[in-house]
Amino acid sequence: YSSALKNNYLYLGTNQGLFYKDINEDSEFKFVNGTNGQVWSLSIVEDTLLCGHDKGTFLIDGVKASLISSVKGTWCLKQVHNNPNLLLQGKYKGLNILQNNGNGNWVFRNKINGFDISSRYVEFISDNEILVSHEYKGVYHLTLNDELSKVESFSKLKIDKSINSSIKAYNGNILYAYNEGVFKYNEQAKSFVKDSVLSTIFNNESYVSGKLIKNPNDNKLWAFSDKELIFVKPGRLTETPTITKIALPSDVRKA
């Protein structure tokens, strides 16, 4: 479900817990004690590895895991816009805020009241505006108060809901991807507009997931189809991105 590389350890999040191995050794993956159950996400924040889990949120220090928030079902963690000491926690029922009390000591600060819809994919538009994508309900625009303690208002955007869809911030844009293509969020119009170039990533015949993954090291955006791995990177001389497709069928990837 997720992976991360930190301090020569490769971490893999699975439906049976978190596993790790030293990338410099020819060894088997080992289990991180205490993480049994469903792992949803792995995030490196301010050089600290955090694990979103069915049980809550774990801080991973080498091969040790500490539960820092026991609120059930952490889908994702996002640094708050213009405030790196705060994290937005998307969970099974709404949103929370975590706070860094120093030296990577992240703790639960507050629930954001007024929105209890499952929040698996979340992106910031501005300091107090976010988008939340729900596969079965659609995409919501939320306006939060300045204290990030409650939702002042929210509305559903006019874009199709879709299983395996997702939203992702990339290269100054927020992208919504599903089987009909890739759409860019227009902040002034508060709506999504189809991107004709990026939409060539997907077609209905080979579509398996709209999940997009950004590589923090080289600004590549990865996507997946039934037959290929695909990556996007900014164009060198123009604003048009370049798209590269690597033939690797899904049945081979699962072998």
Side-chain angles (χ1 to χ4, degrees):
Y1 287 82
S2 189
S3 63
L5 186 63
K6 188 175 188 298
N7 295 336
N8 291 325
Y9 283 130
L10 172 63
Y11 297 90
L12 299 180
T14 77
N15 61 2
Q16 298 180 43
L18 183 64
F19 295 80
Y20 73 95
K21 69 170 292 184
D22 190 320
I23 61 171
N24 296 314
E25 296 180 1
D26 184 15
S27 59
E28 298 293 324
F29 278 93
K30 299 177 182 178
F31 178 66
V32 178
N33 289 331
T35 66
N36 54 300
Q38 176 70 59
V39 174
W40 292 121
S41 64
L42 293 168
S43 308
I44 297 177
V45 181
E46 301 295 313
D47 201 39
T48 298
L49 179 61
L50 299 173
C51 173
H53 196 284
D54 176 67
K55 293 180 178 178
T57 305
F58 288 90
L59 187 151
I60 308 300
D61 184 9
V63 302
K64 297 179 180 179
S66 303
L67 190 65
I68 61 173
S69 172
S70 59
V71 177
K72 296 289 185 182
T74 298
W75 288 119
C76 67
L77 295 159
K78 297 281 181 181
Q79 280 187 292
V80 169
H81 198 265
N82 290 326
N83 194 334
N85 287 322
L86 296 179
L87 285 178
L88 183 69
Q89 178 191 48
K91 57 192 182 71
Y92 291 169
K93 293 185 67 175
L95 302 155
N96 287 341
I97 294 292
L98 305 183
Q99 181 172 326
N100 187 351
N101 288 341
N103 297 319
N105 181 30
W106 293 94
V107 296
F108 172 84
R109 195 190 78 166
N110 64 270
K111 172 181 168 56
I112 300 177
N113 295 311
F115 188 81
D116 289 327
I117 293 173
S118 180
S119 302
R120 185 169 188 173
Y121 298 104
V122 181
E123 293 292 350
F124 272 90
I125 303 170
S126 63
D127 290 358
N128 65 341
E129 289 183 276
I130 62 173
L131 294 179
V132 175
S133 179
H134 188 291
E135 294 171 288
Y136 296 97
K137 296 180 181 293
V139 181
Y140 294 86
H141 174 277
L142 279 63
T143 301
L144 313 179
N145 64 351
D146 292 340
E147 294 76 25
L148 305 181
S149 61
K150 69 176 181 179
V151 175
E152 298 281 8
S153 64
F154 69 90
S155 60
K156 187 185 293 187
L157 300 183
K158 292 182 179 180
I159 188 75
D160 291 343
K161 59 187 177 182
S162 176
I163 297 174
N164 296 329
S165 61
S166 74
I167 57 172
K168 190 70 175 179
Y170 175 69
N171 209 28
N173 294 292
I174 298 177
L175 306 177
Y176 176 68
Y178 71 115
N179 62 317
E180 293 296 325
V182 179
F183 294 71
K184 284 184 180 179
Y185 182 69
N186 184 307
E187 189 172 346
Q188 291 183 335
K190 287 185 169 56
S191 63
F192 284 97
V193 179
K194 190 170 186 176
D195 186 295
S196 59
V197 176
L198 293 178
S199 291
T200 62
I201 290 174
F202 301 122
N203 63 64
N204 285 322
E205 293 181 359
S206 63
Y207 176 83
V208 292
S209 173
K211 187 170 185 179
L212 301 173
I213 297 176
K214 183 180 179 298
N215 188 336
N217 299 319
D218 59 14
N219 206 28
K220 288 180 181 175
L221 185 72
W222 289 86
F224 314 90
S225 74
D226 184 45
K227 304 295 182 184
E228 300 162 321
L229 301 181
I230 306 147
F231 69 84
V232 178
K233 62 180 180 180
R236 290 186 177 182
L237 302 177
T238 70
E239 294 184 359
T240 302
T242 60
I243 298 173
T244 302
K245 298 184 177 182
I246 304 167
L248 192 62
S250 59
D251 56 349
V252 175
R253 302 199 296 262
K254 294 176 181 177

